[in-house]
Amino acid sequence: MTELLSEAPRVPRLQRWIATATSARSARLGLRTRVLLMFSFGALLLAVFLAAAAYSFTRSSLLTQRDRTATLEVANHAVTVAANLNGAPGDATTALIALENQNVSETVVWYRGRFENRGGFSSEDIPPALRERVINDGVRARMITTVDGAPAIVVGYPVSNGALFEAVDISEVEDTLASVGLSLFFGALITSMFGVVLGWFAASRAVRPLADAAQAAQLIAGGRLDTRLEPSDDPDLRTLAMSFNDMASALQARVERDARFASDVSHELRSPLMTLAASVEVMQARRTEMPERAQTALDLLASDVARFQGLVEDLLEISRFDAGAIRLNREDLLVAEFVRAAVSVSSMPATPVTVSDRGERMVMIGDRRRLARVVANLIDNARLHGGGDAHVYVGEADNEGEPVGHVWIAVEDHGPGVPPEERDLVFERFARGAVAGRRSTSDGAGLGLSLVDEHIRMHGGRVWVEERRDAEPGARFVLELPAEEVGI
Amino acid sequence: MGTRILAVEDDERIRSAVKLALEDEGWTVDEAGSGEEAIESFARTTPDVVLIDIMLPGIDGFELCRTLRRTSDVPIVMVTARNDTHDVVAGLEAGADDYLTKPFAPKELSARIRALLRRIRPIATGHAKLVFGNLEIVPDEGKVLRDGQELHLTKTEFRLLCELAQNPGRVFSRESLLDKVWGYDYFGDGRLVDVHVRRLRTKVEADPANPRHVVTVRGLGYRLQS
């Protein structure tokens, strides 16, 4: 038991570590980049390796060939030199002349501790290591070096009492090797580029199903719950597509069930509400015949039935929003005319409406009955939480530097205002806490402001709350809606 | 004789409460719990206004509406569950004159019924006869003739035609028609006008798809011409 307990926390930690490591790596490089880099790097590596191998093979085979002929020639010359040295007294001149007669230049002969040379090749050009090996050790040797600024093989051949050194020009071989190297370099470059292109294609191909999935996920998030991925022939991708589609179906079913539940509940509530409302009305028609206590009870009943009714209507509207079932009945509306009409049917029909000059000429496109609910909700809010004293302003939006494309419909009240930290919260459904105590619930308006928000967003506008413009205590709710100024 | 109202609603409680509320207005209310009952009751009592809930067991509200319309031009108020689905338009297409969305206040219902009853009375146009090409309107008799042939218009369709005929050639906005025909304020449902114009066209126009008399003026409203 103890062991189990001590063992248990280690697994998650390890998993967490793996997860962090994986996510850290993937955060650094995207899949596409990784595939691209892998291909590019692989192609580069392959190209460099092949080029290097080809170069060194060519070089060694060319040099070997040249070396062999040089060694052979020098062996022949060595015979000549040996013959001439043996018969000559003090120096190697005879031997060099004999070589010259054979059309051999670029030679150095070491004889009795002295170097003699012909042509541009001198004893200075012989690398000391080679000199030592041939003269001291008395063995045949050769070395690649530079003579007169040109690459050459210097072959050293020991002969009796001396040595023959001969430079064989290999600049031709080096030239050939240079052009081979250049073409190999370009070949490698092209191969690498091909690898990059291939990698790019492979990466795009590898990522395409992911991009499709991402797009589908985005559509689903945007409310298009019926979005599905095309089933693929690729077995790996088929799993992805199938799991994705299963998830989408489950999500859709879930969302629909939730939306249907809210909608069903509200629907079920409507019938008893109808009965309640009608019965209360019948009783209200006989209010005067009732005893005083019954009248008070009836008033309470009537006002709460009305509140209940409002709440159910709001719930239904919200569930329609959630189900994406709201269709706006859009039409051109003269903003000023609309606002005056909306205020006149609200709970405070006498609320003053002030319209700016440009506001009088502004037209917006919207669903007049839904927007009227929005205005009515804001006025309800002012009535319940804003000291019951509201003022409505209509005017062009004064977003600096922008052409007039929006109208502002502002409702100002004389309540305590909304503290800055609660200004986003008031638009949430059944806002709780300090906000709820003051801003909602008391008149079934817990959904009122969130409906305002939903409606306005659906109309392509936004709503916020701020301080009154005249710095007096109170809140100012502003609706910003797309509108145009027209000439009337 | 007082006004008779037939209330068709399958929920017994709602029916009873609505009956109580409407009786307070001084109207006589007959009840029907299903479409079949309603058809039977309609034939027996000949009500002045029919109130139909769309959700009915058996024959649904739309079907009942169409059945009644075949023989009668009685004003019909539909009760729908929600106002943003096709229910409203379908109900109006089936022949309803007006609609209400549940839950409604009985006061609202009686206001609608009063507006419908007003439509039954002929309006004073000051003309004995109005002629628009092959169309002939006799306001006092509530008659419309096309090529001398009498047309069967509902009260609302007739009222709509008369309003348009009062000022031939003038364009009437949806709002003004909603106000004049239905008695709605600024927030009436424009679909009422649109569907009624469509229904009117199927009756007065030789080719409803290409109307000659009741013409749409895009973005503004409707107009009647010869």
Side-chain angles (χ1 to χ4, degrees):
Chain A
M1 198 57 197
T2 341
E3 252 182 30
L4 249 174
L5 279 175
S6 64
E7 211 42 24
R10 274 165 62 183
V11 180
R13 207 180 308 141
L14 183 68
Q15 279 174 347
R16 206 179 317 134
W17 182 79
I18 291 171
T20 335
T22 321
S23 67
R25 197 185 306 136
S26 57
R28 237 177 292 135
L29 288 176
L31 174 62
R32 189 194 291 261
T33 322
R34 289 207 305 273
V35 173
L36 181 62
L37 280 180
M38 227 132 71
F39 263 85
S40 310
F41 189 66
L44 187 70
L45 215 64
L46 192 70
V48 167
F49 173 75
L50 285 179
Y55 183 82
S56 74
F57 178 75
T58 315
R59 184 189 153 89
S60 79
S61 80
L62 278 177
L63 281 179
T64 311
Q65 208 179 341
R66 196 75 186 87
D67 187 40
R68 198 176 296 143
T69 43
T71 314
L72 218 64
E73 271 171 31
V74 175
N76 283 335
H77 301 159
V79 174
T80 314
V81 170
N84 284 294
L85 281 181
N86 280 340
D91 56 38
T93 321
T94 351
L96 288 170
I97 291 168
L99 283 178
E100 254 175 344
N101 290 341
Q102 284 181 33
N103 267 334
V104 181
S105 58
E106 311 291 325
T107 48
V108 172
V109 173
W110 180 81
Y111 186 59
R112 291 188 180 168
R114 243 164 25 90
F115 285 106
E116 277 186 68
N117 72 308
R118 282 289 186 278
F121 182 47
S122 74
S123 58
E124 313 289 309
D125 295 320
I126 304 166
L130 180 70
R131 212 185 298 175
E132 206 163 293
R133 200 153 161 66
V134 176
I135 295 171
N136 296 353
D137 302 349
V139 290
R140 209 168 31 162
R142 59 200 187 280
M143 215 167 188
I144 294 175
T145 180
T146 318
V147 176
D148 279 352
I153 303 176
V154 175
V155 184
Y157 215 95
V159 285
S160 50
N161 305 322
L164 166 68
F165 293 95
E166 200 175 322
V168 180
D169 183 35
I170 55 164
S171 56
E172 202 180 310
V173 174
E174 289 295 328
D175 282 352
T176 314
L177 275 177
S179 55
V180 165
L182 198 67
S183 42
L184 281 174
F185 172 75
F186 280 112
L189 201 69
I190 289 167
T191 312
S192 304
M193 263 153 58
F194 189 68
V196 171
V197 172
L198 200 71
W200 188 78
F201 271 116
S204 313
R205 251 197 89 73
V207 170
R208 193 180 305 145
L210 291 182
D212 289 347
Q215 200 187 8
Q218 223 159 29
L219 281 173
I220 288 176
R224 296 274 309 276
L225 290 172
D226 54 347
T227 310
R228 295 290 180 274
L229 283 180
E230 287 284 324
S232 159
D233 296 333
D234 188 318
D236 296 327
L237 298 181
R238 194 162 48 222
T239 323
L240 171 71
M242 269 164 52
S243 329
F244 185 92
N245 288 347
D246 287 350
M247 178 208 69
S249 303
L251 192 67
Q252 187 178 16
R254 177 76 180 262
V255 165
E256 277 169 6
R257 198 176 56 221
D258 286 357
R260 208 167 39 234
F261 178 72
S263 158
D264 285 351
V265 167
S266 323
H267 268 287
E268 287 303 316
L269 288 175
R270 289 211 270 198
S271 298
L273 257 176
M274 277 279 322
T275 315
L276 280 174
S279 307
V280 165
E281 213 177 283
V282 172
M283 281 158 81
Q284 275 177 318
R286 287 158 189 76
R287 191 171 180 276
T288 46
E289 301 163 22
M290 291 181 180
E292 205 176 312
R293 287 181 68 81
Q295 281 185 12
T296 314
L298 176 62
D299 292 346
L300 279 173
L301 184 62
S303 80
D304 258 25
V305 164
R307 175 176 148 190
F308 194 9
Q309 205 157 349
L311 196 58
V312 167
E313 271 169 42
D314 284 353
L315 264 175
L316 270 171
E317 191 78 353
I318 287 271
S319 71
R320 265 177 240 150
F321 266 113
D322 290 349
I326 297 272
R327 276 213 316 267
L328 293 181
N329 200 4
R330 292 176 200 269
E331 51 190 325
D332 285 344
L333 300 173
L334 259 173
V335 181
E337 182 193 22
F338 160 78
V339 173
R340 289 194 186 101
V343 169
S344 73
V345 296
S346 71
S347 60
M348 293 198 291
T351 305
V353 179
T354 307
V355 183
S356 74
D357 287 345
R358 297 176 80 175
E360 287 287 359
R361 295 190 299 269
M362 297 197 84
V363 170
M364 61 182 176
I365 296 174
D367 184 321
R368 73 169 72 192
R369 300 202 298 161
R370 288 217 149 79
L371 287 177
R373 283 278 297 275
V374 167
V375 173
N377 281 354
L378 287 185
I379 291 197
D380 279 345
N381 183 66
R383 178 171 57 86
L384 297 167
H385 312 289
D389 176 20
H391 197 129
V392 180
Y393 297 90
V394 177
E396 67 279 8
D398 57 356
N399 292 334
E400 280 190 25
E402 280 176 40
V404 180
H406 290 90
V407 67
W408 277 354
I409 302 168
V411 180
E412 290 188 2
D413 62 39
H414 273 110
V418 184
E421 66 274 14
E422 290 176 9
R423 286 182 184 167
D424 287 333
L425 294 176
V426 294
F427 295 104
E428 284 181 13
R429 297 175 189 182
F430 297 115
R432 293 268 173 238
V435 191
R438 199 170 57 250
R439 278 273 151 198
S440 39
T441 62
S442 68
D443 200 30
L447 289 166
L449 289 178
S450 76
L451 269 174
V452 166
D453 188 37
E454 301 257 17
H455 276 128
I456 291 302
R457 258 191 293 169
M458 203 154 182
H459 279 85
R462 57 200 184 102
V463 59
W464 68 90
V465 58
E466 57 189 23
E467 271 129 51
R468 283 175 65 94
R469 280 289 161 94
D470 56 9
E472 277 182 46
R476 172 181 157 96
F477 284 84
V478 187
L479 305 174
E480 184 183 84
L481 287 162
E484 266 176 41
E485 198 175 338
V486 292
I488 296 178
Chain B
M1 201 184 101
T3 304
R4 280 194 95 96
I5 294 165
L6 174 60
V8 192
E9 160 71 62
D10 63 327
D11 188 321
E12 195 192 328
R13 288 200 185 83
I14 296 180
R15 215 164 59 219
S16 311
V18 166
K19 179 181 157 88
L20 281 173
L22 293 182
E23 280 173 348
D24 270 3
E25 300 282 335
W27 299 322
T28 312
V29 180
D30 298 306
E31 296 174 60
S34 70
E36 292 81 352
E37 247 178 78
I39 292 167
E40 191 266 328
S41 168
F42 183 79
R44 194 157 35 81
T45 59
T46 57
D48 301 293
V49 176
V50 182
L51 181 68
I52 300 175
D53 189 335
I54 283 174
M55 309 276 252
L56 286 176
I59 302 179
D60 70 8
F62 303 118
E63 191 53 48
L64 175 61
C65 198
R66 276 189 286 270
T67 310
L68 297 183
R69 271 283 167 264
R70 248 170 252 144
T71 57
S72 163
D73 61 0
V74 64
I76 297 175
V77 181
M78 279 276 185
V79 177
T80 68
R82 36 178 83 172
N83 64 13
D84 60 348
T85 57
H86 62 280
D87 280 10
V88 170
V89 173
L92 295 173
E93 301 268 14
D97 295 276
D98 206 341
Y99 77 92
L100 281 168
T101 313
K102 261 191 196 172
F104 53 84
K107 274 201 190 77
E108 232 180 298
L109 173 60
S110 31
R112 295 289 98 222
I113 292 174
R114 267 196 296 276
L116 279 171
L117 292 172
R118 266 201 304 277
R119 246 167 276 168
I120 296 175
R121 286 171 221 125
I123 49 166
T125 53
H127 300 276
K129 199 196 242 181
L130 294 154
V131 181
F132 295 89
N134 60 349
L135 217 57
E136 209 176 296
I137 307 170
V138 191
D140 293 340
E141 293 173 38
K143 267 204 311 201
V144 180
L145 301 129
R146 193 179 78 202
D147 300 321
Q149 204 76 18
E150 192 177 343
L151 301 172
H152 297 285
L153 264 54
T154 67
K155 302 288 185 220
T156 306
E157 287 157 5
F158 183 73
R159 184 63 174 255
L160 181 62
L161 187 61
C162 284
E163 289 297 344
L164 292 170
Q166 295 244 28
N167 276 303
R170 197 194 116 181
V171 181
F172 289 85
S173 67
R174 282 186 184 78
E175 289 93 81
S176 71
L177 290 171
L178 274 171
D179 172 37
K180 287 186 160 72
V181 179
W182 281 270
Y184 273 112
D185 58 16
Y186 183 80
F187 296 104
D189 187 344
R191 289 176 297 182
L192 279 173
V193 181
D194 297 337
V195 177
H196 273 87
V197 164
R198 213 143 65 212
R199 269 164 51 185
L200 186 60
R201 279 178 183 154
T202 61
K203 294 179 182 175
V204 302
E205 301 283 356
D207 179 8
N210 298 299
R212 263 184 57 208
H213 298 301
V214 187
V215 189
T216 307
V217 184
R218 265 198 84 155
L220 294 174
Y222 299 101
R223 177 173 75 187
L224 187 68
Q225 60 186 34
S226 300

